[in-house]
Amino acid sequence: MGMRKDLKQKNEKLRIAMLGHKRIPSREGGVEVVVEELSIRIAGLGHSVTCYNRSGHHVCGKEYNMTRTSKKPKYYKGIRLKSVPTINRRGLAAMTSSVTASICAALGPYDVVHFHAEGPSFMCWLPKLFGKKVIVTVHGLDHQRAKWGKLARIYIMMGERNAVRFADEMIVLSEGTRKYFLDTYGRNTQFIPNGMSRDEILQAQLIKESFGLDKDGYILFLGRIVPEKGLHYLIEAFQKVKTKKKLVIAGGSSDTDRFMEELKKAAQNDTRILFIGFMEGRKLKELYSNAYLYILPSDLEGMSLSLLEAMSYGNCCLVSDIPECAEVVEDKAVTFQKSNTEDLREKLQELCDKPSMVQKYKSIASDFICSKYSWDDMVDKTLELYWNMLGEKNTQSASEKASKVQRDKLLNENK
């Protein structure tokens, strides 16, 4: 609370540009949720926040567009929204929107330009060239994601290296990612995890009408339908589990329509497996509120907002033992060995057979996660980073210069 009071008492109003997300308001991915939560709270403290949104349609299809009219809103909960020209095609939307948003941010009246994700950070040198302070949040090591082709991976890696070279500060969401940047580039980063807040528990009404789902009658996966989420392991394992409970797979594809079709084909002979598409609003809250078990079988994560949300609703969670999941849940959830279908099957069967075990984890999940992660703490730490950067304008210690030399050397070695 002390830091929050200090931040409110600062007389100067910051002017901040956010870019790299798809658009807000939106739940197209975890990045969008983080940018929205961060921006709303910073604007609520009296600062000026501009979010540069992509033009075009929702990643899951135009039927999910938040704005139903052709006229886009200019403000949202105190945030200024600007749509930038975008080539709305696979592999080009993120690149073109980050280029045009970076040009706007470089020429705009901002103190801080905050890039989100590695690919968009390819352009972080441009606002820096125009005298802006630049910060990059790495939400995950995106070049490791299976959906990207060779050219996209090269572009993302160039974004990562530009972030290391040009950003005044970098934020990471896990200790593993912090170690990666230190070991690979000699670059120090700031660990500022995502936040979470408690939401209202809702009865199963819309999900019962739409999908026939009752309380504790289903196991829930909720996220983007991409290969690194481990859904192929999950479907294979679940088909061998003896239970009447359904497996609900909620989420839309993200340039991965072919993978979605492969999953549906693999599940076509098991009527317990339901693909219900992208969820938002009350249906999303009902899904979290009434699940018997939430599952995240990922091979790769940054920091899963879906996992945090599931725990905040008091769910028993079963997650892969990758550090990005294990660090979040500690001993307050069940883990299985990453990519091990048989271990996943055994854990699923055990949890289906032992409702008392599930209830034990449910009883501790919400209090644990909501006390461990806070949006307000995240905002305070981010704002403090902004102020520290601005206080260091035109100053650079001998140790900082030496660190930059070492960083440049490592960058050249990793080309």
Side-chain angles (χ1 to χ4, degrees):
M1 287 296 292
M3 184 185 293
R4 176 156 290 273
K5 185 177 179 182
D6 291 342
L7 291 171
K8 284 182 177 179
Q9 288 177 344
K10 287 186 181 290
N11 294 323
E12 187 178 352
K13 184 172 77 169
L14 290 177
R15 298 165 299 175
I16 303 154
M18 300 276 185
L19 60 99
H21 58 284
K22 296 179 182 70
R23 74 205 94 238
I24 63 167
S26 169
R27 290 189 60 94
E28 291 172 73
V31 175
E32 286 68 45
V33 176
V34 172
V35 173
E36 181 174 334
E37 295 286 352
L38 182 63
S39 299
I40 288 171
R41 285 167 170 79
I42 291 177
L45 290 170
H47 303 290
S48 172
V49 182
T50 301
C51 289
Y52 284 97
N53 288 347
R54 291 186 195 178
S55 300
H57 297 302
H58 192 287
V59 70
C60 294
K62 62 183 180 181
E63 63 270 24
Y64 296 106
N65 288 353
M66 295 291 290
T67 305
R68 304 301 179 186
T69 64
S70 58
K71 188 176 181 180
K72 294 181 174 62
K74 293 183 178 180
Y75 290 92
Y76 171 72
K77 294 186 177 181
I79 309 164
R80 188 179 184 188
L81 303 180
K82 288 190 173 183
S83 294
V84 295
T86 306
I87 299 176
N88 202 29
R89 296 183 62 181
R90 178 180 176 178
L92 292 177
M95 184 186 301
T96 55
S97 61
S98 61
V99 169
T100 52
S102 297
I103 293 170
C104 293
L107 298 174
Y110 303 112
D111 303 302
V112 176
V113 179
H114 194 152
F115 285 78
H116 292 267
E118 290 187 324
S121 299
F122 174 79
M123 292 298 298
C124 70
W125 58 271
L126 184 59
K128 181 84 171 177
L129 186 66
F130 279 76
K132 308 297 193 293
K133 286 294 182 178
V134 171
I135 188 167
V136 170
T137 294
V138 177
H139 293 259
L141 300 176
D142 291 339
H143 60 272
Q144 296 178 358
R145 301 190 188 280
K147 73 175 183 176
W148 300 120
K150 183 177 179 180
L151 290 177
R153 279 199 181 90
I154 291 172
Y155 180 77
I156 291 168
M157 281 303 301
M158 291 171 68
E160 177 176 295
R161 289 172 180 145
N162 280 358
V164 169
R165 187 184 296 274
F166 297 109
D168 294 285
E169 288 285 1
M170 293 179 66
I171 294 173
V172 296
L173 307 184
S174 72
E175 291 291 349
T177 307
R178 179 154 71 173
K179 186 176 185 300
Y180 167 81
F181 280 100
L182 188 60
D183 292 348
T184 306
Y185 302 107
R187 172 76 197 230
N188 288 316
T189 55
Q190 305 294 325
F191 172 52
I192 304 179
N194 293 329
M196 191 42 54
S197 55
R198 210 182 301 260
D199 212 333
E200 180 186 4
I201 304 297
L202 301 178
Q203 292 185 342
Q205 296 177 357
L206 296 182
I207 60 172
K208 183 174 178 63
E209 295 170 5
S210 300
F211 313 115
L213 299 176
D214 295 305
K215 183 171 180 59
D216 291 334
Y218 60 94
I219 295 163
L220 176 65
F221 167 86
L222 195 149
R224 291 174 298 117
I225 310 301
V226 291
E228 63 266 19
K229 294 292 184 182
L231 286 165
H232 43 306
Y233 310 129
L234 175 56
I235 288 172
E236 182 180 346
F238 181 78
Q239 289 173 327
K240 299 173 184 176
V241 173
K242 296 177 181 178
T243 181
K244 293 182 179 180
K245 298 186 187 301
K246 297 174 181 178
L247 172 61
V248 174
I249 298 175
S253 65
S254 179
D255 295 326
T256 52
D257 291 343
R258 182 178 296 179
F259 179 67
M260 173 80 87
E261 292 306 313
E262 290 173 0
L263 291 178
K264 289 181 176 180
K265 184 175 180 181
Q268 64 185 354
N269 294 324
D270 193 331
T271 57
R272 299 174 301 168
I273 302 176
L274 304 179
F275 290 83
I276 63 173
F278 177 81
M279 290 290 114
E280 59 187 352
R282 184 181 173 94
K283 283 184 179 178
L284 175 68
K285 294 180 180 181
E286 287 187 15
L287 283 171
Y288 279 134
S289 297
N290 296 283
Y292 177 75
L293 175 70
Y294 168 90
I295 184 163
L296 185 65
S298 295
D299 289 336
L300 176 70
E301 283 290 342
M303 185 180 190
S304 171
L305 259 298
S306 179
L307 173 57
L308 268 63
E309 288 177 336
M311 293 192 78
S312 77
Y313 277 87
N315 278 291
C316 173
C317 295
L318 173 60
V319 302
S320 61
D321 62 358
I322 60 175
E324 291 78 7
C325 290
E327 288 173 11
V328 169
V329 303
E330 297 182 18
D331 61 347
K332 305 302 187 296
V334 183
T335 62
F336 71 94
Q337 187 179 10
K338 166 193 164 183
S339 308
N340 189 328
T341 304
E342 180 57 23
D343 191 36
L344 174 55
R345 184 201 66 77
E346 289 178 2
K347 297 291 172 58
L348 272 171
Q349 189 67 66
E350 182 180 22
L351 289 167
C352 286
D353 292 342
K354 297 180 179 178
S356 60
M357 182 180 178
V358 170
Q359 187 56 44
K360 182 191 79 170
Y361 284 108
K362 282 176 177 279
S363 68
I364 59 177
S366 184
D367 286 344
F368 165 73
I369 209 70
C370 291
S371 62
K372 184 176 180 180
Y373 299 109
S374 162
W375 288 120
D376 286 343
D377 286 348
M378 177 194 183
V379 169
D380 289 346
K381 291 174 183 177
T382 303
L383 275 172
E384 195 68 15
L385 212 54
Y386 291 168
W387 286 117
N388 289 342
M389 286 193 305
L390 291 166
E392 293 168 0
K393 274 186 177 179
N394 302 318
T395 65
Q396 189 178 52
S397 68
S399 63
E400 287 172 325
K401 291 177 181 177
S403 176
K404 185 178 185 303
V405 170
Q406 176 67 8
R407 199 158 64 233
D408 290 344
K409 181 180 177 182
L410 286 165
L411 276 164
N412 290 329
E413 289 174 355
N414 279 281
K415 282 184 178 178

mmCIF file of all heavy atoms in Angstrom, residues 4-25:
data_model
loop_
_atom_site.group_PDB
_atom_site.id
_atom_site.type_symbol
_atom_site.label_atom_id
_atom_site.label_comp_id
_atom_site.label_asym_id
_atom_site.label_seq_id
_atom_site.Cartn_x
_atom_site.Cartn_y
_atom_site.Cartn_z
ATOM 1 N N ARG A 4 1.790 2.210 -3.523
ATOM 2 C CA ARG A 4 0.610 2.726 -4.237
ATOM 3 C C ARG A 4 0.339 4.176 -3.845
ATOM 4 O O ARG A 4 0.024 5.014 -4.672
ATOM 5 C CB ARG A 4 -0.590 1.835 -3.928
ATOM 6 C CG ARG A 4 -1.901 2.315 -4.534
ATOM 7 C CD ARG A 4 -2.851 1.175 -4.691
ATOM 8 N NE ARG A 4 -2.360 0.302 -5.728
ATOM 9 C CZ ARG A 4 -2.638 0.466 -7.014
ATOM 10 N NH1 ARG A 4 -3.405 1.454 -7.404
ATOM 11 N NH2 ARG A 4 -2.165 -0.347 -7.913
ATOM 12 N N LYS A 5 0.484 4.504 -2.554
ATOM 13 C CA LYS A 5 0.270 5.873 -2.091
ATOM 14 C C LYS A 5 1.310 6.811 -2.703
ATOM 15 O O LYS A 5 0.990 7.910 -3.166
ATOM 16 C CB LYS A 5 0.349 5.912 -0.560
ATOM 17 C CG LYS A 5 0.012 7.281 0.030
ATOM 18 C CD LYS A 5 0.038 7.219 1.547
ATOM 19 C CE LYS A 5 -0.284 8.596 2.138
ATOM 20 N NZ LYS A 5 -0.225 8.561 3.621
ATOM 21 N N ASP A 6 2.574 6.361 -2.747
ATOM 22 C CA ASP A 6 3.633 7.180 -3.342
ATOM 23 C C ASP A 6 3.360 7.447 -4.808
ATOM 24 O O ASP A 6 3.551 8.554 -5.311
ATOM 25 C CB ASP A 6 4.989 6.480 -3.191
ATOM 26 C CG ASP A 6 5.452 6.447 -1.732
ATOM 27 O OD1 ASP A 6 4.918 7.230 -0.931
ATOM 28 O OD2 ASP A 6 6.332 5.623 -1.427
ATOM 29 N N LEU A 7 2.888 6.421 -5.521
ATOM 30 C CA LEU A 7 2.629 6.581 -6.942
ATOM 31 C C LEU A 7 1.489 7.566 -7.187
ATOM 32 O O LEU A 7 1.514 8.343 -8.137
ATOM 33 C CB LEU A 7 2.293 5.217 -7.569
ATOM 34 C CG LEU A 7 3.457 4.212 -7.639
ATOM 35 C CD1 LEU A 7 2.941 2.847 -8.069
ATOM 36 C CD2 LEU A 7 4.547 4.687 -8.584
ATOM 37 N N LYS A 8 0.486 7.551 -6.328
ATOM 38 C CA LYS A 8 -0.638 8.480 -6.477
ATOM 39 C C LYS A 8 -0.194 9.921 -6.222
ATOM 40 O O LYS A 8 -0.739 10.863 -6.774
ATOM 41 C CB LYS A 8 -1.754 8.095 -5.508
ATOM 42 C CG LYS A 8 -2.573 6.881 -5.936
ATOM 43 C CD LYS A 8 -3.685 6.629 -4.934
ATOM 44 C CE LYS A 8 -4.557 5.465 -5.379
ATOM 45 N NZ LYS A 8 -5.631 5.190 -4.409
ATOM 46 N N GLN A 9 0.804 10.084 -5.336
ATOM 47 C CA GLN A 9 1.207 11.424 -4.944
ATOM 48 C C GLN A 9 2.165 12.082 -5.928
ATOM 49 O O GLN A 9 2.458 13.255 -5.813
ATOM 50 C CB GLN A 9 1.854 11.359 -3.552
ATOM 51 C CG GLN A 9 0.846 11.093 -2.434
ATOM 52 C CD GLN A 9 1.508 10.950 -1.082
ATOM 53 O OE1 GLN A 9 2.716 10.755 -0.989
ATOM 54 N NE2 GLN A 9 0.711 11.049 -0.030
ATOM 55 N N LYS A 10 2.682 11.340 -6.899
ATOM 56 C CA LYS A 10 3.572 11.952 -7.877
ATOM 57 C C LYS A 10 2.793 12.991 -8.682
ATOM 58 O O LYS A 10 1.691 12.739 -9.146
ATOM 59 C CB LYS A 10 4.174 10.887 -8.792
ATOM 60 C CG LYS A 10 5.239 10.022 -8.083
ATOM 61 C CD LYS A 10 5.888 9.092 -9.078
ATOM 62 C CE LYS A 10 6.933 8.215 -8.406
ATOM 63 N NZ LYS A 10 8.116 8.967 -7.992
ATOM 64 N N ASN A 11 3.373 14.159 -8.846
ATOM 65 C CA ASN A 11 2.675 15.243 -9.528
ATOM 66 C C ASN A 11 2.651 15.068 -11.035
ATOM 67 O O ASN A 11 1.707 15.444 -11.706
ATOM 68 C CB ASN A 11 3.332 16.584 -9.165
ATOM 69 C CG ASN A 11 3.162 16.918 -7.694
ATOM 70 O OD1 ASN A 11 2.112 16.638 -7.126
ATOM 71 N ND2 ASN A 11 4.190 17.493 -7.081
ATOM 72 N N GLU A 12 3.699 14.500 -11.583
ATOM 73 C CA GLU A 12 3.816 14.389 -13.032
ATOM 74 C C GLU A 12 2.916 13.274 -13.567
ATOM 75 O O GLU A 12 2.839 12.191 -12.991
ATOM 76 C CB GLU A 12 5.273 14.089 -13.399
ATOM 77 C CG GLU A 12 5.540 14.130 -14.895
ATOM 78 C CD GLU A 12 7.011 13.881 -15.198
ATOM 79 O OE1 GLU A 12 7.805 13.840 -14.251
ATOM 80 O OE2 GLU A 12 7.330 13.732 -16.384
ATOM 81 N N LYS A 13 2.243 13.550 -14.653
ATOM 82 C CA LYS A 13 1.391 12.545 -15.285
ATOM 83 C C LYS A 13 2.152 11.893 -16.431
ATOM 84 O O LYS A 13 2.642 12.582 -17.333
ATOM 85 C CB LYS A 13 0.108 13.195 -15.804
ATOM 86 C CG LYS A 13 -0.877 12.171 -16.381
ATOM 87 C CD LYS A 13 -2.218 12.789 -16.704
ATOM 88 C CE LYS A 13 -2.147 13.586 -17.991
ATOM 89 N NZ LYS A 13 -3.481 13.995 -18.477
ATOM 90 N N LEU A 14 2.265 10.588 -16.395
ATOM 91 C CA LEU A 14 2.982 9.864 -17.440
ATOM 92 C C LEU A 14 2.115 9.722 -18.689
ATOM 93 O O LEU A 14 0.890 9.582 -18.606
ATOM 94 C CB LEU A 14 3.377 8.472 -16.938
ATOM 95 C CG LEU A 14 4.464 8.399 -15.876
ATOM 96 C CD1 LEU A 14 4.665 6.953 -15.441
ATOM 97 C CD2 LEU A 14 5.776 8.964 -16.400
ATOM 98 N N ARG A 15 2.776 9.699 -19.832
ATOM 99 C CA ARG A 15 2.110 9.444 -21.117
ATOM 100 C C ARG A 15 2.695 8.148 -21.660
ATOM 101 O O ARG A 15 3.877 8.078 -21.981
ATOM 102 C CB ARG A 15 2.351 10.602 -22.078
ATOM 103 C CG ARG A 15 1.785 11.942 -21.577
ATOM 104 C CD ARG A 15 2.345 13.111 -22.367
ATOM 105 N NE ARG A 15 3.793 13.198 -22.228
ATOM 106 C CZ ARG A 15 4.556 14.070 -22.878
ATOM 107 N NH1 ARG A 15 4.008 14.935 -23.712
ATOM 108 N NH2 ARG A 15 5.866 14.089 -22.696
ATOM 109 N N ILE A 16 1.831 7.121 -21.757
ATOM 110 C CA ILE A 16 2.294 5.767 -22.036
ATOM 111 C C ILE A 16 1.596 5.225 -23.275
ATOM 112 O O ILE A 16 0.375 5.377 -23.435
ATOM 113 C CB ILE A 16 1.993 4.849 -20.837
ATOM 114 C CG1 ILE A 16 2.645 5.406 -19.561
ATOM 115 C CG2 ILE A 16 2.472 3.422 -21.095
ATOM 116 C CD1 ILE A 16 1.939 4.978 -18.300
ATOM 117 N N ALA A 17 2.362 4.589 -24.148
ATOM 118 C CA ALA A 17 1.808 3.885 -25.299
ATOM 119 C C ALA A 17 2.007 2.382 -25.102
ATOM 120 O O ALA A 17 3.084 1.938 -24.715
ATOM 121 C CB ALA A 17 2.495 4.329 -26.583
ATOM 122 N N MET A 18 0.953 1.610 -25.342
ATOM 123 C CA MET A 18 0.993 0.149 -25.266
ATOM 124 C C MET A 18 0.804 -0.416 -26.668
ATOM 125 O O MET A 18 -0.116 -0.010 -27.394
ATOM 126 C CB MET A 18 -0.127 -0.388 -24.370
ATOM 127 C CG MET A 18 -0.091 0.082 -22.934
ATOM 128 S SD MET A 18 1.012 -0.919 -21.935
ATOM 129 C CE MET A 18 0.696 -0.199 -20.307
ATOM 130 N N LEU A 19 1.637 -1.376 -27.036
ATOM 131 C CA LEU A 19 1.461 -2.023 -28.343
ATOM 132 C C LEU A 19 2.010 -3.445 -28.312
ATOM 133 O O LEU A 19 2.749 -3.818 -27.406
ATOM 134 C CB LEU A 19 2.129 -1.213 -29.446
ATOM 135 C CG LEU A 19 3.637 -0.972 -29.356
ATOM 136 C CD1 LEU A 19 4.379 -1.951 -30.249
ATOM 137 C CD2 LEU A 19 3.980 0.446 -29.788
ATOM 138 N N GLY A 20 1.632 -4.229 -29.309
ATOM 139 C CA GLY A 20 2.048 -5.624 -29.407
ATOM 140 C C GLY A 20 0.898 -6.588 -29.174
ATOM 141 O O GLY A 20 0.972 -7.759 -29.547
ATOM 142 N N HIS A 21 -0.181 -6.119 -28.534
ATOM 143 C CA HIS A 21 -1.379 -6.926 -28.342
ATOM 144 C C HIS A 21 -2.209 -6.902 -29.626
ATOM 145 O O HIS A 21 -1.924 -6.133 -30.545
ATOM 146 C CB HIS A 21 -2.202 -6.375 -27.174
ATOM 147 C CG HIS A 21 -2.594 -4.946 -27.368
ATOM 148 N ND1 HIS A 21 -1.702 -3.894 -27.203
ATOM 149 C CD2 HIS A 21 -3.771 -4.377 -27.730
ATOM 150 C CE1 HIS A 21 -2.315 -2.760 -27.455
ATOM 151 N NE2 HIS A 21 -3.575 -3.025 -27.775
ATOM 152 N N LYS A 22 -3.253 -7.729 -29.668
ATOM 153 C CA LYS A 22 -4.132 -7.714 -30.840
ATOM 154 C C LYS A 22 -5.079 -6.511 -30.756
ATOM 155 O O LYS A 22 -5.075 -5.663 -31.628
ATOM 156 C CB LYS A 22 -4.912 -9.029 -30.942
ATOM 157 C CG LYS A 22 -4.014 -10.252 -31.167
ATOM 158 C CD LYS A 22 -4.847 -11.517 -31.235
ATOM 159 C CE LYS A 22 -3.963 -12.749 -31.409
ATOM 160 N NZ LYS A 22 -3.172 -13.067 -30.188
ATOM 161 N N ARG A 23 -5.886 -6.503 -29.714
ATOM 162 C CA ARG A 23 -6.775 -5.356 -29.494
ATOM 163 C C ARG A 23 -7.397 -5.506 -28.109
ATOM 164 O O ARG A 23 -7.485 -6.608 -27.567
ATOM 165 C CB ARG A 23 -7.849 -5.275 -30.581
ATOM 166 C CG ARG A 23 -8.958 -6.290 -30.500
ATOM 167 C CD ARG A 23 -9.596 -6.559 -31.854
ATOM 168 N NE ARG A 23 -8.944 -7.724 -32.458
ATOM 169 C CZ ARG A 23 -8.343 -7.704 -33.638
ATOM 170 N NH1 ARG A 23 -8.312 -6.598 -34.351
ATOM 171 N NH2 ARG A 23 -7.784 -8.789 -34.123
ATOM 172 N N ILE A 24 -7.783 -4.394 -27.550
ATOM 173 C CA ILE A 24 -8.577 -4.408 -26.321
ATOM 174 C C ILE A 24 -9.783 -3.494 -26.533
ATOM 175 O O ILE A 24 -9.700 -2.536 -27.314
ATOM 176 C CB ILE A 24 -7.753 -3.969 -25.078
ATOM 177 C CG1 ILE A 24 -7.278 -2.521 -25.196
ATOM 178 C CG2 ILE A 24 -6.596 -4.893 -24.832
ATOM 179 C CD1 ILE A 24 -6.749 -1.962 -23.905
ATOM 180 N N PRO A 25 -10.919 -3.788 -25.894
ATOM 181 C CA PRO A 25 -11.140 -4.928 -25.002
ATOM 182 C C PRO A 25 -11.265 -6.236 -25.785
ATOM 183 O O PRO A 25 -11.924 -6.278 -26.831
ATOM 184 C CB PRO A 25 -12.459 -4.593 -24.313
ATOM 185 C CG PRO A 25 -13.176 -3.729 -25.320
ATOM 186 C CD PRO A 25 -12.115 -2.948 -26.021
#
